[in-house]
Amino acid sequence: MQLRLRVAFTLGLAVILALFSGCSREEKPAAEIAEPESSGLEEEFLRHAQALEDSKNRYFGRQQITELNLALQQASLAPAQRSKGLAQLAFHHLRLGEGKAARRAIDAAFQHEEALSPQEKIQLRKARAMISLREAETENCVQRHNAQCCIFPLAGGGLHEVAAPARAATADLREILESAPEDEMVQWLLNLTAMATGNYPDAVPEPFRIPPEHFEPGEAGSGIDPFVDVAPTLGVDTFDLCGGVVVEDFNNDGWFDILTSTSDPRGSLRLYLSEEAMRFRDASDESGVLQQLGGFNCVAADYDNDGDADVLVLRGAWLGTQGTVRNSLLRNDSIPGEGHVRFTDVTAAAGLAAPAYPTQTAAWGDLDNDGDLDLFVANESEKEIRGHDTVGDFPSQLFQNNGDGTFTDIASTAGVQNNRFCKGVTMGDYDNDRDLDIFVSNVGKNRLYRNNADGSFTDVAVDLGIAGSGGFDFAPWFFDFNNDGWLDLFVGAYRAQLQHFMRDARGEPHGARVPHLYRNNGDGTFTDIAREAGLDHPYLPMGANFGDFDNDGWPDIYLATGDSNFETLTPNVLLKNLAGQGFENVTYAARLGHLQKGHGVAFADFDRDGDLDLYHQLGGFFPGDRFHNALFLNPGTRNGFLDVRCRGTKSNRSGFGVRAALTIEFPGGQRQTLHRGAGSLSSFGGSPHNSLHFGIPASAKPVELRVSWPCSDTEQKFSGLEVSTTIEVIEGKSEFHLREAL
């Protein structure tokens, strides 16, 4: 048998496989799984996991390793082909987390190095450098994990105690640059290895160096103290693959709890219940979530209006026809006052189990203003990408809440099927007409479905100039970044490589796609002001969220960055809002530039000291990309706050769709109004949705709060407010309830 190693021998470690090669047309999809009895949940999801592992799936399958090993046994194989095949074998082992096997394969590949062309030798050396970097990460950031690991620029506890792997990577990277000095990806990684061994910047030749001034805090960051990762000490640093996070008070005890999911098809959801004073208890087993395996993302809402947060778990993302595993609707059946949490899988009974489409994103909202929450599930349809209907036809779904615990898919009649490969969805009333509209970001043109208030929607994205350029757009959200009372729109662009980051760090034109910041003009139109707002930099955000971290009244942005390629080691990013005029990168001042791949992001006040902390679900999609999650404790500011919890009576109970405006007054009588909204305003971010957090500058005081309810079309006005308090507002009640004061 003659060997055919169809290898794109480039190693960016990912370039070897195309983005959508996860399931070719010839591959056999995972077996359809019937709705189980409640006792068979684990078995249901394990069957799906086994089908993935037995396939050629690019993320979890093992068939590639089997085929390569068989091919490499051919005695007639030419030395160059054998070297290339061994390098590809090393890649697959690294991807699956089999580091020792990857090392053996790459060492064997080097035995035939002389048979390769000069360019092929460079790629082989890159491969070995990547394996050394993974060994460095495993022995230091994983096995010797601490709160400073992987925080860019590496320093203190982030330096590698076991330095040999980083030194080995450095040797290969230096040798590559001797023959290919223009390789900016290698330049970037050389800076990282020098940092890991405590030799940056001196050990990096100046032409290849990230300028040290790149890490200076700048004017906006000069007054920001570092955040500290307390997850290791609190026991909430779940070690897993990428996934979602939801932060909610699931048992209504006044403290925020943490629910995480994982894309690992054999991995479990985890629930950590807060027990005051920043103590958490692992309640995964007793709550019933331990039997829920897999879940690329999760979104919470009180869909049954019973006063506690339920959870929808989303599955199958990036897996094509092998991702047709159902989602899970987990009804919160907790008993008030007991402190415990119990979830029941009601997916089938609710009408959400079939058909099962691959997805990573969904949004809740009362789209028909009838007092209960509807659900939009944005699926990954390949219909437009492939140009035919036979493979990957997974339209988006709009589930109308029937008010009795069941849902009906009305996407077709409503005109919102979005037969595109969707990566994000958000809801917000962009035109201030009292009903929620839907924005969908896609691989391809984006859509804005304007709510016609008659059960139908019209896509107006092209007309309004917000359809995008047809590239990769991920996390979107509606938020009022300039506090003018009109919802603006952020859309994260997902096209950047290490060379773009290297150029940007040097202050050179980078060539990467940048995010969109669509400013709402207040007349039904938008203007993209991303570049003038300071967002003209490469970021590569996957998950993301927004929140006022410094309590100055202006919502800031946190971007969780990276891609599936191991070598894409880029810092996550904190962008400070400059009073509605733009944003400035304050990542390094806040010490939030984590290099691990980021997905679920939640802003919440975990310790109830009045400022927003940050929980970040970390880890990649390949089995070898597991990492510890982080809980970054906010060091605090001099500013105050007002937290508003909304409870609907005619509108949905959790107040999704509520708009609130807080007027504050400064000494001298100057007034300013801050605007917030409750609900699914963020995508891939699991912050508490019914908690409206207003930061208040230290010199200001609250004067008046106006709350507008979507269903009853009423506005309530409240005065007598105090700084640094948490209040509850009930629809139809003239007085607010003081829940807590600091």
Side-chain angles (χ1 to χ4, degrees):
M1 181 179 73
Q2 188 176 5
L3 174 67
R4 295 181 180 177
L5 291 172
R6 297 174 181 168
V7 182
F9 192 65
T10 53
L11 198 68
L13 273 188
V15 197
I16 296 174
L17 296 173
L19 181 63
F20 294 106
S21 63
C23 183
S24 67
R25 299 182 196 178
E26 293 76 26
E27 288 175 24
K28 191 175 180 180
E32 185 176 345
I33 302 170
E35 184 70 18
E37 299 292 331
S38 58
S39 61
L41 283 171
E42 230 178 320
E43 290 80 2
E44 174 197 8
F45 297 120
L46 285 174
R47 289 197 297 273
H48 170 70
Q50 192 64 53
L52 283 174
E53 292 166 7
D54 293 341
S55 74
K56 293 180 67 173
N57 179 270
R58 70 172 298 224
Y59 297 106
F60 301 101
R62 300 195 61 86
Q63 282 190 23
Q64 300 97 327
I65 289 178
T66 301
E67 293 176 2
L68 280 167
N69 278 323
L70 287 172
L72 289 165
Q73 293 175 13
Q74 303 305 307
S76 60
L77 197 63
Q81 289 293 88
R82 186 172 298 279
S83 182
K84 295 177 187 179
L86 286 164
Q88 189 179 11
L89 182 64
F91 162 73
H92 287 302
H93 281 303
L94 189 71
R95 179 197 68 183
L96 293 174
E98 299 163 354
K100 292 182 179 179
R103 171 59 68 179
R104 289 194 297 270
I106 202 66
D107 287 347
F110 267 86
Q111 295 177 13
H112 310 280
E113 180 187 10
E114 293 307 315
L116 301 175
S117 70
Q119 186 59 36
E120 290 170 339
K121 289 179 180 179
I122 288 176
Q123 299 304 328
L124 187 63
R125 205 161 293 278
K126 283 186 181 181
R128 189 167 68 181
M130 295 307 110
I131 291 171
S132 296
L133 278 171
R134 172 51 57 87
E135 291 169 343
E137 177 190 79
T138 300
E139 294 196 36
N140 293 277
C141 311
V142 174
Q143 295 178 1
R144 295 166 174 83
H145 181 69
N146 63 68
Q148 299 179 62
C149 283
C150 296
I151 305 296
F152 190 63
L154 305 181
L159 301 181
H160 286 192
E161 180 180 342
V162 182
R167 292 193 183 110
T170 297
D172 276 321
L173 296 171
R174 282 183 170 275
E175 188 162 339
I176 293 168
L177 290 172
E178 288 180 5
S179 56
E182 74 287 347
D183 193 323
E184 291 163 311
M185 183 195 89
V186 175
Q187 294 174 15
W188 178 270
L189 294 175
L190 181 63
N191 283 268
L192 288 184
T193 59
M195 291 177 187
T197 54
N199 294 311
Y200 169 87
D202 297 339
V204 183
E206 188 171 356
F208 308 145
R209 188 182 300 162
I210 298 175
E213 54 266 27
H214 174 69
F215 302 109
E216 294 176 359
E219 184 177 351
S222 60
I224 297 174
D225 294 324
F227 284 62
V228 177
D229 180 13
V230 296
T233 59
L234 298 179
V236 294
D237 56 337
T238 300
F239 185 75
D240 222 321
L241 300 183
C242 64
V245 61
V246 168
V247 172
E248 291 283 359
D249 182 4
F250 287 110
N251 56 3
N252 290 321
D253 66 351
W255 295 85
F256 287 125
D257 312 303
I258 301 170
L259 178 78
T260 67
S261 68
T262 172
S263 56
D264 182 356
R266 293 184 179 272
S268 299
L269 268 67
R270 310 293 301 193
L271 175 65
Y272 299 97
L273 293 181
S274 177
E275 296 188 322
E276 300 188 3
M278 295 292 287
R279 296 194 301 269
F280 289 86
R281 175 173 62 87
D282 190 340
S284 307
D285 192 11
E286 68 186 62
S287 65
V289 304
L290 202 63
Q291 298 176 347
Q292 295 285 335
L293 307 185
F296 203 82
N297 196 8
C298 42
V299 289
D302 183 9
Y303 82 92
D304 52 2
N305 279 335
D306 67 348
D308 49 37
D310 315 293
V311 176
L312 178 73
V313 183
L314 302 162
R315 297 187 174 93
W318 296 112
L319 300 181
T321 56
Q322 292 181 307
T324 53
V325 58
R326 70 168 176 88
N327 301 323
S328 291
L329 179 61
L330 306 182
R331 186 183 65 207
N332 190 337
D333 289 333
S334 306
I335 299 174
E338 287 194 354
H340 299 284
V341 175
R342 181 70 192 177
F343 288 101
T344 304
D345 190 327
V346 296
T347 317
L352 301 179
Y357 295 150
T359 182
Q360 71 171 44
T361 186
W364 295 92
D366 188 359
L367 294 168
D368 50 8
N369 280 333
D370 66 347
D372 51 37
L373 294 177
D374 311 299
L375 172 66
F376 186 91
V377 181
N379 299 307
E380 295 177 345
S381 182
E382 300 175 30
K383 182 176 180 179
E384 290 193 12
I385 295 172
R386 296 182 180 270
H388 56 79
D389 301 343
T390 58
V391 176
D393 185 9
F394 306 129
S396 294
Q397 298 156 294
L398 175 56
F399 293 103
Q400 185 178 55
N401 194 325
N402 299 322
D404 59 359
T406 68
F407 295 83
T408 301
D409 185 1
I410 62 168
S412 179
T413 58
V416 295
Q417 286 192 296
N418 185 51
N419 231 300
R420 295 172 180 169
F421 199 89
C422 181
K423 302 315 297 174
V425 60
T426 181
M427 295 184 185
D429 181 11
Y430 83 91
D431 50 3
N432 283 355
D433 65 351
R434 204 177 58 80
D435 50 37
L436 292 176
D437 312 292
I438 306 170
F439 181 85
V440 183
S441 60
N442 296 303
V443 177
K445 294 284 188 177
N446 303 321
R447 299 187 189 273
L448 175 59
Y449 292 113
R450 185 186 63 210
N451 194 330
N452 298 323
D454 60 0
S456 71
F457 294 78
T458 301
D459 182 7
V460 296
V462 173
D463 295 340
L464 299 185
I466 60 174
S469 58
F472 277 50
D473 286 332
F474 273 37
W477 59 70
F478 285 109
F479 73 150
D480 191 352
F481 89 94
N482 56 2
N483 280 318
D484 67 350
W486 293 86
L487 289 179
D488 312 294
L489 177 63
F490 176 90
V491 185
Y494 193 70
R495 275 298 191 206
Q497 297 175 328
L498 284 186
Q499 59 263 34
H500 300 130
F501 290 89
M502 192 69 204
R503 295 168 196 167
D504 189 62
R506 292 175 174 148
E508 302 170 356
H510 52 76
R513 289 189 68 233
V514 302
H516 301 285
L517 179 61
Y518 296 110
R519 184 188 62 207
N520 194 323
N521 298 321
D523 59 1
T525 67
F526 291 87
T527 301
D528 191 352
I529 62 166
R531 294 187 182 276
E532 62 191 80
L535 299 179
D536 54 340
H537 300 276
Y539 298 118
L540 200 58
M542 295 182 291
N545 212 332
F546 65 94
D548 185 3
F549 81 92
D550 54 359
N551 278 349
D552 66 350
W554 303 90
D556 312 294
I557 295 173
Y558 184 84
L559 303 178
T561 68
D563 63 23
S564 59
N565 306 335
F566 169 68
E567 77 274 16
T568 308
L569 298 169
T570 62
N572 300 300
V573 177
L574 179 66
L575 299 169
K576 176 177 167 57
N577 190 327
L578 303 178
Q581 301 303 304
F583 293 85
E584 185 170 323
N585 192 336
V586 296
T587 303
Y588 305 125
R591 296 294 292 162
L592 288 176
H594 211 296
L595 289 170
Q596 292 293 328
K597 307 178 194 310
H599 285 79
V601 178
F603 280 102
D605 185 5
F606 288 99
D607 53 359
R608 299 205 308 201
D609 65 350
D611 50 43
L612 296 179
D613 311 300
L614 181 68
Y615 191 88
H616 193 176
Q617 205 280 351
L618 295 163
F621 199 23
F622 290 118
D625 292 335
R626 302 177 192 277
F627 204 76
H628 300 271
N629 293 344
L631 199 170
F632 292 107
L633 199 65
N634 195 322
T637 72
R638 297 181 298 106
N639 297 326
F641 72 95
L642 178 70
D643 271 341
V644 182
R645 311 289 171 84
C646 301
R647 176 151 58 98
T649 52
K650 185 177 181 180
S651 302
N652 64 90
R653 179 156 176 165
S654 50
F656 277 36
V658 162
R659 299 283 293 276
L662 176 66
T663 299
I664 59 177
E665 185 176 88
F666 295 86
Q670 179 188 358
R671 293 191 173 191
Q672 180 186 351
T673 301
L674 312 175
H675 296 267
R676 300 289 184 270
S680 292
L681 299 179
S682 62
S683 183
F684 232 137
S687 304
H689 289 307
N690 71 337
S691 178
L692 303 178
H693 182 86
F694 293 91
I696 301 176
S699 60
K701 62 180 182 180
V703 176
E704 182 184 69
L705 175 69
R706 292 180 286 116
V707 179
S708 299
W709 295 90
C711 191
S712 59
D713 193 21
T714 57
E715 181 180 86
Q716 296 168 280
K717 296 182 180 180
F718 304 96
S719 58
L721 304 162
E722 297 291 335
V723 177
S724 300
T725 59
T726 299
I727 66 172
E728 184 179 53
V729 173
I730 300 174
E731 185 178 15
K733 299 288 186 179
S734 59
E735 302 292 331
F736 63 82
H737 170 64
L738 180 64
R739 295 186 56 165
E740 187 177 8
L742 291 182

